[in-house]
Amino acid sequence: MSSAFAQVAATGPLSLVQDLGRSGAAAMGLSPSGALDRRSLLLANRLLRNAAGAAGLEILLGGLRLDITAGAWVAVTGARGLVLLNGKPCPLNTALFAAAGSVLEFRVPDAGLRYYLGTAGGLAAPLLSGSASSDLLSGMGPGPLRVHDVLAKHPARTPACPGAAGATAAAAGPPTVKDPPHPGRALALRITDGPRRNLFTTSAWRTLTGQEWEISPDSNRIGARLLGTALAQREGAGAQLPSEGMVTGALQVPPSGLPTIFLADHPVTGGYPVIAVVRRSDLDAVGQAGPGQRIRFLAPPR
Amino acid sequence: MQLTGAPEPILLPCGDGAVLAELPNLQAVLGYYRGLSRSTPAGLLDLVPAARTVLATFDPDRVSVGTIRRWMLGTTPLQGSVLQAPEVVIDVRYDGPDLAVVAHHLGLTEAQVVNVHSSSLWTAAFTGFAPGFAYLVTDHERLRVPRRNVPRTKVPAGAVALGGEFSAIYPAASPGGWQLIGHTDAAMWGSGNGPLTPGDALITPGTLVRFRES
């Protein structure tokens, strides 16, 4: 059972159905996928009294325009920017009612990269291994939105407003609103040892934690590539490393010595050594960090 | 407790939601993966077997890394014969463009390559590269061949291939560097009806595979 509530009039660069991702299928080669900024999707669902894992839209850099065909409660979280409901700026991080016939438009964000749009009841989308997420690496899942696509929601359990109108994030309890990373300030990411730290020289670890890295424009949902001073591997190390399972947040170091932070759509296995792993809760900010964003890695003292 | 002679896995750190177990060889990985799969703790998300390792990912809000490590250290390997492994038969037409090259490299005739490939019992060790792409091993390495120097930009879905010690079936059209010895019409992923589930993968780690010439 689902009911249509909107039609896509413009997609923007990349608008995807995402939830909290899938598990249980990695051994079959399926990435976890799911929202890059999980906290913001959770917030949208919290505002709408949805289940935490309800599907919403992840809207990269705005550009999405939806014709609302049936009234629906929605909430926009994540990136900060101009979102228009019938041409009027609408508040973010709040449950609001989009009436039938209205138009919801997302402009390019002022801060952050990805808006999240939740809808009361959650978006209806086919499940693969328990998740509606679109996986860009394998092409599995619903795939990017296209013009004329119809969005449907699961019928909400209660027909009325899901929360008090204008319910704020604070009133709904955690997770609270968190500002996207400031482009002018280095984003601090906490790391712990990766499984192959011993394949790197001690000076490589100092190089990793002692410099500010920069996110490359060549980054996406699969990984954030980093620019900086390359990490040195021990002589001959890693050349014989057979492929092994990879985790979200892994700092995988290819022969170039420039690490990639693996994000939700990362390959399930990989053959390059992982020097360190970023804490899960710090990855939400990476999903909102654009090219040129400076990054500093914080390691626990040894 | 480990069984006598069973290799103890070495547990490596892998962030706040995973532990990577390292084992001496693929055979040990298979047995250990089967053992782990038999009884998984609440909060475990995924097990990813690979050539020398098994990765366990978990939800740190639901289970502690200590519990996961104890479970991994306390798990004994389970050999294939103990388990009722699913078995699939794949009908193959051995008409791959690299069959002659493979035969030449191995010093066999094409018919002998086909015979060895189709008379061996293969086991899906792990997946990777693409969803449904299973690395198949058997109890000999008589078909070990190098990958192509120049990968093909497009390998068709259903291509049956050899690469290193492994055989595999390409689940979808993709680039690929393995030697193509035949093709099958069997679908590797998805029945095409209704929502997909992991059960829709024809071959998963542990599946026994026989190839039948058609």
Side-chain angles (χ1 to χ4, degrees), chain B residues 95-180:
Chain B
D95 56 1
D98 300 326
L99 183 58
V101 173
V102 165
H104 180 76
H105 176 85
L106 296 171
L108 302 173
T109 65
E110 293 183 22
Q112 285 171 322
V113 171
V114 170
N115 195 342
V116 173
H117 191 257
S118 59
S119 64
S120 302
L121 177 61
W122 298 84
T123 304
F126 54 93
T127 61
F129 178 64
F133 187 98
Y135 290 75
L136 307 175
V137 293
T138 187
D139 56 3
H140 61 78
E141 293 194 4
R142 288 160 60 200
L143 295 178
R144 178 187 269 273
V145 290
R147 296 176 191 193
R148 289 167 54 84
N149 286 332
V150 181
R152 287 188 170 83
T153 53
K154 194 169 181 192
V155 172
V160 176
L162 295 171
E165 66 197 283
F166 304 105
S167 185
I169 304 155
Y170 282 79
S174 69
W178 289 28
Q179 311 279 0
L180 309 184

Side-chain angles (χ1 to χ4, degrees), chain B:
Chain B
M1 284 294 290
Q2 293 288 316
L3 292 176
T4 312
E8 183 108 16
I10 297 166
L11 300 189
L12 302 169
C14 206
D16 55 357
V19 174
L20 186 69
E22 191 167 50
L23 295 124
N25 54 51
L26 183 56
Q27 207 51 43
V29 167
L30 279 169
Y32 187 57
Y33 172 68
R34 288 194 189 100
L36 291 174
S37 304
R38 186 166 50 167
S39 164
T40 57
L44 186 85
L45 296 177
D46 267 300
L47 288 173
V48 185
R52 299 287 179 274
T53 54
V54 180
L55 176 73
T57 62
F58 59 91
D59 179 351
D61 291 336
R62 292 175 59 203
V63 62
S64 73
V65 66
T67 301
I68 294 291
R69 289 178 61 96
R70 277 193 298 280
W71 165 65
M72 293 178 83
L73 287 173
T75 295
T76 50
L78 191 61
Q79 291 316 314
S81 54
V82 182
L83 195 76
Q84 202 76 25
E87 185 171 330
V88 299
V89 176
I90 305 286
D91 285 316
V92 182
R93 259 207 293 266
Y94 286 97
D95 56 1
D98 300 326
L99 183 58
V101 173
V102 165
H104 180 76
H105 176 85
L106 296 171
L108 302 173
T109 65
E110 293 183 22
Q112 285 171 322
V113 171
V114 170
N115 195 342
V116 173
H117 191 257
S118 59
S119 64
S120 302
L121 177 61
W122 298 84
T123 304
F126 54 93
T127 61
F129 178 64
F133 187 98
Y135 290 75
L136 307 175
V137 293
T138 187
D139 56 3
H140 61 78
E141 293 194 4
R142 288 160 60 200
L143 295 178
R144 178 187 269 273
V145 290
R147 296 176 191 193
R148 289 167 54 84
N149 286 332
V150 181
R152 287 188 170 83
T153 53
K154 194 169 181 192
V155 172
V160 176
L162 295 171
E165 66 197 283
F166 304 105
S167 185
I169 304 155
Y170 282 79
S174 69
W178 289 28
Q179 311 279 0
L180 309 184
I181 60 170
H183 79 272
T184 179
D185 295 330
M188 290 300 108
W189 188 280
S191 57
N193 297 316
L196 283 167
T197 69
D200 285 344
L202 183 65
I203 301 171
T204 61
T207 304
L208 301 175
V209 178
R210 287 185 190 280
F211 293 99
R212 183 166 62 195
E213 186 176 12
S214 69

